[in-house]
Amino acid sequence: MTPLHHAGFLKNSTKAQMKIQQMAFLLVAITVFFSMIFLIYFSLSISSVRNSGTELQDEETKELVRKLSASPELAFTSSSDCSSCIDLDKALQISKIKDYEKLWNLNYLFIEIIRPSSTLPSDTECISSTTYPDNCNKITIIPEPENYATKTAFVTLVRWDPDINAPVGGYKYEFGRIHASPKTQDD
Amino acid sequence: MKNKRGYEFSYAWIFAIIIGAAIIFLAIYTVTQVIGLERFKQETKTGKKLGILLNPIATNLEQAKFATIIVPDETKVFNNCTLPSQSQFFGSQDISISAKQGNLGEPWPEETGAKVSFHNRFLFSSSATHANEEFYVLSKPFLYPFKIADLMILWSDKEYFCFDNPPAEISNDIERLDFPNIVEKTPTEPCPPSYTTVCFQGSSCSISVNLNSKTVTHGGSITVNYEDSFDDTDPYSLLYAAIFSNPEEYECQVQRLVSRASTLANLYKLKSENLNNECGRLSIQQDLEVYSTLASSSSTKLNDLNSIAGEIKEKNDALTPCRLFEKLD
């Protein structure tokens, strides 16, 4: 190989190396470009799935709260004069049965008894044989220690009161509100 | 020497073709996956929505409710039931959806959306209910002797039933609620040939009901038992469930009903204890305890609870005016 040929070979070799480097760079650029598109798509997709999940959970809770009074566990079935009343005497006992925590897809459920003229502090829990029925305004069915935003629905609450029509007794109707919070995706 | 003229592929060309093919392959693969993922998402959402839609159909004091659910595409609802267990005392109602989008003669997609579970629903249908546009839901309470749950009976615009000689209560339901795709055989109008015939007398039909032995036979071979609801004016809610349901799913749902009955009996017992025997409620407590214990066993069948349920009903009816649950007759 003459020195002249050697110089030509070196020149071609440098050109080829340059081309290989260009292509390698192009490959890396294409990979990075598509990876970024995938990342953006997946982050958008995951956030849309999360939003849909939350919306559906909220919708389910709203519908559930509206129809909880029809659930056999809470429905007032002792008489046929109130189709959408909640039986407070039953509600008081539900929290004692652990299995009920899993029946509804909720992580917090409580009933608020609305007594405008009452001087009781809010969130005074009803405890059978002590505060129930007159010295309380809250029955917690599914406890949740943290504060959660809840969906609410106004309901009529009914309980047996031996003082009404004494000595026979009768049903006392009160005004109340049912509060429920859906299970989050992390629960 | 012959001049061999030809096109020489440079390295750049070969590289461009290979990378181009890889990119096109990846793009097609990604689009297919994305479409599959979107379909999965949509079907899962529809499954959840269907479950949510069942909420307003639940009955309060009504004897029945009927609703039509309209779907935008041809849809299949897969109904699965999970038996009660230690961790899931109420078992679960699992729904999954498969929808055929577009109408280009494509085969039915094999995959369904994710299974959506509900613990407070009891859906009775064939294992896969296929609808062009409409699903029909009949909701009826089941009392044994207190209300245990609303039974949701599901069928579609592709399923047709002809009831031959049904009892008066079912005949009234067909007439009053005007169920789509369900007709009653009359002396002048026999059952159309494409309809699934449901016989209440005789056994030469697709589904045969024996009201005396309280059995429903599917296809002449698989027999399931049902029990009358403790509502004298409308005792056939579980019979509807047995007719419209896949026998395996039906047995599983009935077992779930027994589990729920157990906790409800316990709840009524606790309620009566708290009311300090006012109106003589003490007499019913022992029966509720027996009922709850019996129903909590996984080997207990619904008809095993029949006699104790009858006793509870009698004692409850005698508790005037403070019954634990309503007297229905």
Side-chain angles (χ1 to χ4, degrees), chain B residues 1-53:
Chain B
M1 204 174 164
K2 201 176 174 182
N3 183 17
K4 286 184 182 171
R5 281 189 145 194
Y7 187 80
E8 188 193 344
F9 263 116
S10 67
Y11 177 73
W13 269 101
I14 296 168
F15 179 84
I17 288 167
I18 293 171
I19 295 300
I23 288 172
I24 289 169
F25 170 77
L26 270 176
I28 293 169
Y29 177 78
T30 311
V31 168
T32 319
Q33 290 298 306
V34 166
I35 290 170
L37 202 67
E38 284 299 319
R39 184 196 287 272
F40 180 81
K41 209 168 87 179
Q42 204 53 44
E43 286 169 348
T44 308
K45 245 170 113 171
T46 312
K48 185 77 180 173
K49 277 187 176 170
L50 182 72
I52 295 169
L53 277 174

Side-chain angles (χ1 to χ4, degrees), chain A residues 67 73 77 83 87 102 160, chain B residues 60 87 260 271 278 326:
Chain A
K67 278 309 258 190
E73 285 75 15
T77 54
S83 66
D87 187 335
K102 289 177 184 168
W160 179 256
Chain B
N60 281 47
S87 58
R260 196 165 182 189
K271 176 184 165 177
E278 286 152 11
E326 204 198 341

Side-chain angles (χ1 to χ4, degrees), chain A:
Chain A
M1 199 178 276
T2 62
L4 199 64
H5 277 118
H6 190 246
F9 173 75
L10 277 179
K11 200 177 169 187
N12 282 342
S13 170
T14 317
K15 258 189 179 176
Q17 272 183 356
M18 274 299 287
K19 282 211 162 184
I20 289 169
Q21 276 178 0
Q22 271 177 1
M23 283 167 189
F25 178 76
L26 194 72
L27 263 181
V28 170
I30 288 169
T31 314
V32 169
F33 176 70
F34 280 108
S35 308
M36 281 177 74
I37 289 178
F38 282 140
L39 274 177
I40 291 167
Y41 169 75
F42 281 115
S43 63
L44 287 176
S45 178
I46 286 168
S47 97
S48 126
V49 168
R50 270 187 174 274
N51 285 343
S52 304
T54 313
E55 273 171 28
L56 285 171
Q57 288 284 26
D58 279 357
E59 206 179 316
E60 186 186 12
T61 310
K62 264 189 232 163
E63 291 296 339
L64 192 63
V65 163
R66 279 185 203 140
K67 278 309 258 190
L68 260 180
S69 58
S71 171
E73 285 75 15
L74 290 171
F76 172 65
T77 54
S78 302
S79 155
S80 60
D81 62 353
C82 183
S83 66
S84 53
C85 290
I86 282 185
D87 187 335
L88 267 187
D89 296 322
K90 268 201 274 185
L92 187 70
Q93 305 303 325
I94 293 178
S95 54
K96 293 179 185 167
I97 305 171
K98 284 282 160 211
D99 299 316
Y100 278 119
E101 288 188 14
K102 289 177 184 168
L103 180 65
W104 300 292
N105 199 19
L106 301 171
N107 66 5
Y108 192 25
L109 177 64
F110 71 91
I111 294 167
E112 177 193 354
I113 307 165
I114 299 172
R115 289 173 177 149
S117 55
S118 169
T119 52
L120 281 170
S122 61
D123 293 350
T124 308
E125 192 68 37
C126 292
I127 300 161
S128 50
S129 76
T130 54
T131 57
Y132 184 77
D134 293 319
N135 298 315
C136 62
N137 49 30
K138 185 183 180 188
I139 295 179
T140 305
I141 296 168
I142 300 174
E144 176 54 56
E146 291 173 50
N147 287 325
Y148 272 87
T150 56
K151 305 280 171 213
T152 60
F154 286 99
V155 283
T156 310
L157 309 172
V158 191
R159 64 182 168 86
W160 179 256
D161 189 341
D163 299 331
I164 292 176
N165 294 331
V168 183
Y171 290 108
K172 183 169 185 174
Y173 295 77
E174 288 175 287
F175 195 43
R177 209 151 51 149
I178 192 155
H179 298 251
S181 166
K183 275 209 161 95
T184 59
Q185 280 138 10
D186 306 323
D187 290 324

Side-chain angles (χ1 to χ4, degrees), chain B residues 28-227:
Chain B
I28 293 169
Y29 177 78
T30 311
V31 168
T32 319
Q33 290 298 306
V34 166
I35 290 170
L37 202 67
E38 284 299 319
R39 184 196 287 272
F40 180 81
K41 209 168 87 179
Q42 204 53 44
E43 286 169 348
T44 308
K45 245 170 113 171
T46 312
K48 185 77 180 173
K49 277 187 176 170
L50 182 72
I52 295 169
L53 277 174
L54 296 180
N55 264 314
I57 308 169
T59 61
N60 281 47
L61 287 176
E62 307 93 329
Q63 280 189 334
K65 262 189 180 179
F66 176 74
T68 302
I69 297 172
I70 298 169
V71 284
D73 300 299
E74 208 178 329
T75 304
K76 275 183 189 172
V77 173
F78 295 90
N79 177 7
N80 289 297
C81 163
T82 306
L83 278 168
S85 62
Q86 285 283 327
S87 58
Q88 275 190 8
F89 190 78
F90 299 103
S92 70
Q93 168 67 65
D94 308 319
I95 299 170
S96 52
I97 299 280
S98 171
K100 194 176 183 182
Q101 282 153 3
N103 198 12
L104 302 167
E106 303 149 21
W108 195 272
E110 278 176 24
E111 287 178 359
T112 65
K115 222 185 248 182
V116 184
S117 298
F118 300 89
H119 303 291
N120 58 340
R121 301 263 181 287
F122 296 83
L123 193 64
F124 292 86
S125 70
S126 52
S127 49
T129 308
H130 185 176
N132 279 330
E133 276 181 356
E134 291 179 347
F135 286 101
Y136 309 115
V137 188
L138 169 68
S139 170
K140 274 184 165 279
F142 179 65
L143 288 78
Y144 211 73
F146 37 79
K147 181 180 171 182
I148 294 175
D150 282 304
L151 311 183
M152 308 266 180
I153 293 115
L154 178 90
W155 73 100
S156 77
D157 55 5
K158 279 189 160 222
E159 293 172 304
Y160 296 85
F161 296 89
C162 177
F163 285 20
D164 182 1
N165 213 355
E169 292 85 351
I170 292 182
S171 195
N172 286 341
D173 280 347
I174 295 172
E175 195 185 317
R176 285 180 200 157
L177 294 171
D178 194 19
F179 300 135
N181 294 10
I182 297 178
V183 294
E184 191 181 337
K185 185 184 168 188
T186 60
T188 52
E189 282 180 53
C191 286
S194 57
Y195 279 52
T196 303
T197 45
V198 183
C199 294
F200 291 82
Q201 273 174 9
S203 56
S204 57
C205 299
S206 320
I207 299 167
S208 305
V209 178
N210 188 328
L211 294 170
N212 297 320
S213 63
K214 292 181 186 167
T215 55
V216 177
T217 307
H218 290 259
S221 55
I222 309 165
T223 301
V224 292
N225 296 298
Y226 72 89
E227 288 295 318

